[in-house]
Amino acid sequence: MLILTRKAGESIKIGDDVTIEVLSMSGSSVKIGIDAPKSINILRKELYDIIKNENINASTVSLDDISGLNKLNELNELNNFDNFNKLNELNGIKNLNVLSSDKNKKI
Amino acid sequence: MDSEILVKSIYYPEGVAVEKSKILEFVKPILGFNDLKKYCILNINKEKNLPFFILQSIENDKLCFIVADPNYFFKDYTAGITEEDKELIGLKDKTDAIIFVIVTVFKDLYSSTVNLKAPIIINVKSRKAMQTVLNNDLYDVKQKLPINPVKA
């Protein structure tokens, strides 16, 4: 780990696109400003870790999960999804290649 | 045909034809999956009009997410899209945006949760997408899906 000492008003460059500036210090807190491209996620580490871990948990999808969600409908757990056609037609999900459940068939 | 690619998935192991023009490009990646930029939306069950879809990675056929329309479950849910995010996905008209939330499915389906804090935003015109993190305390990362067990 590279360790640098900076005073308020001083900066650190990371590559060409990222600048980190120490804005002020108050007690044990440091206020920093970050200038970076919009495509870079800048988050507090604790929030980043929570979301990353949740994404990883969510990505372990099994066929049982999918058939379970299908079963919810058979059990009348879900009201009819009125927004489905709207998403398909008005909002363009159809254009996002929503596929029929027939294998290898494109709609 | 050159205009299509075969996308494999755990749900479609033999693959389905997806038009190249319908592939989503994540300009801000799904956190934890920074190297994967290309995805497509697959349907879980067209006949049943379920509010769930599959967000399938094009680059890794073993990686997919179950996503849901948040407004089906949470009528008042709004993902305030920042100007920076709009610019990033080229969103000029709000009606061109589709919001999904990622579902974490548990064996006991009634324990399943959705991540309302970090929705997926898709611009249907540009096919650019991103996972954004909402800068407020209104929504949780692990919000229980409001589905009640069947009464015996």
Side-chain angles (χ1 to χ4, degrees):
Chain A
M1 180 188 284
L2 175 65
I3 298 171
L4 300 171
T5 304
R6 301 271 70 192
K7 296 188 180 83
E10 294 181 335
S11 302
I12 297 164
K13 288 288 290 182
I14 300 175
D16 292 330
D17 297 334
V18 180
T19 305
I20 298 173
E21 184 180 346
V22 178
L23 299 176
S24 63
M25 284 161 284
S26 171
S28 60
S29 292
V30 179
K31 188 181 277 187
I32 58 171
I34 302 162
D35 190 5
K38 293 182 177 72
S39 57
I40 293 177
N41 274 308
I42 301 171
L43 296 167
R44 293 174 178 85
K45 185 180 183 297
E46 58 273 24
L47 180 58
Y48 173 89
D49 288 341
I50 289 167
I51 292 169
K52 178 183 169 180
N53 290 338
E54 194 60 22
N55 285 345
I56 290 167
N57 290 340
S59 72
T60 55
V61 178
S62 72
L63 275 174
D64 287 346
D65 295 338
I66 294 171
S67 53
L69 292 173
N70 272 324
K71 221 170 274 178
L72 283 178
N73 195 72
E74 290 159 23
L75 296 169
N76 295 319
E77 292 297 281
L78 301 170
N79 301 322
N80 196 45
F81 180 32
D82 299 329
N83 212 23
F84 186 86
N85 289 332
K86 186 182 165 198
L87 283 176
N88 260 319
E89 287 155 34
L90 299 181
N91 283 347
I93 285 273
K94 197 173 188 178
N95 300 331
L96 290 176
N97 197 71
V98 174
L99 298 164
S100 76
S101 51
D102 298 338
K103 313 288 191 202
N104 287 318
K105 182 181 171 190
K106 192 170 86 266
I107 59 166
Chain B
M1 271 194 348
D2 277 354
S3 62
E4 294 178 351
I5 60 166
L6 191 71
V7 175
K8 292 187 177 182
S9 156
I10 60 156
Y11 195 47
Y12 298 96
E14 65 275 44
V16 279
V18 174
E19 288 178 43
K20 285 181 181 173
S21 63
K22 291 168 185 177
I23 290 169
L24 303 174
E25 182 201 351
F26 272 69
V27 290
K28 243 188 194 177
I30 294 175
L31 294 183
F33 301 91
N34 289 4
D35 297 337
L36 301 174
K37 300 281 200 300
K38 295 188 188 307
Y39 292 80
C40 65
I41 300 286
L42 304 179
N43 211 335
I44 284 181
N45 193 318
K46 185 170 184 286
E47 286 71 38
K48 287 182 182 166
N49 290 10
L50 290 177
F52 301 105
F53 299 87
I54 297 169
L55 180 64
Q56 175 65 48
S57 167
I58 302 286
E59 296 143 315
N60 177 353
D61 58 13
K62 290 180 175 58
L63 178 74
C64 69
F65 299 90
I66 302 291
V67 294
D69 172 10
N71 292 114
Y72 178 86
F73 297 102
F74 307 95
K75 293 277 181 278
D76 300 327
Y77 180 80
T78 50
I81 308 172
T82 65
E83 290 306 316
E84 285 90 346
D85 287 351
K86 283 181 192 170
E87 195 181 316
L88 203 55
I89 60 171
L91 190 66
K92 291 183 174 67
D93 187 341
K94 241 174 134 176
T95 58
D96 292 334
I98 287 178
I99 310 292
F100 282 126
V101 286
I102 295 176
V103 184
T104 303
V105 183
F106 289 95
K107 276 221 167 16
D108 167 20
L109 283 171
Y110 305 106
S111 302
S112 298
T113 60
V114 284
N115 183 350
L116 298 180
K117 179 78 172 167
I120 303 288
I121 303 170
I122 299 167
N123 179 345
V124 296
K125 287 246 173 81
S126 68
R127 308 272 174 238
K128 288 193 179 350
M130 62 185 293
Q131 182 175 36
T132 192
V133 179
L134 302 182
N135 192 18
N136 61 47
D137 295 325
L138 297 174
Y139 302 119
D140 290 332
V141 173
K142 291 175 187 280
Q143 175 67 53
K144 201 169 177 306
L145 260 185
I147 304 169
N148 299 314
V150 178
K151 305 282 187 292

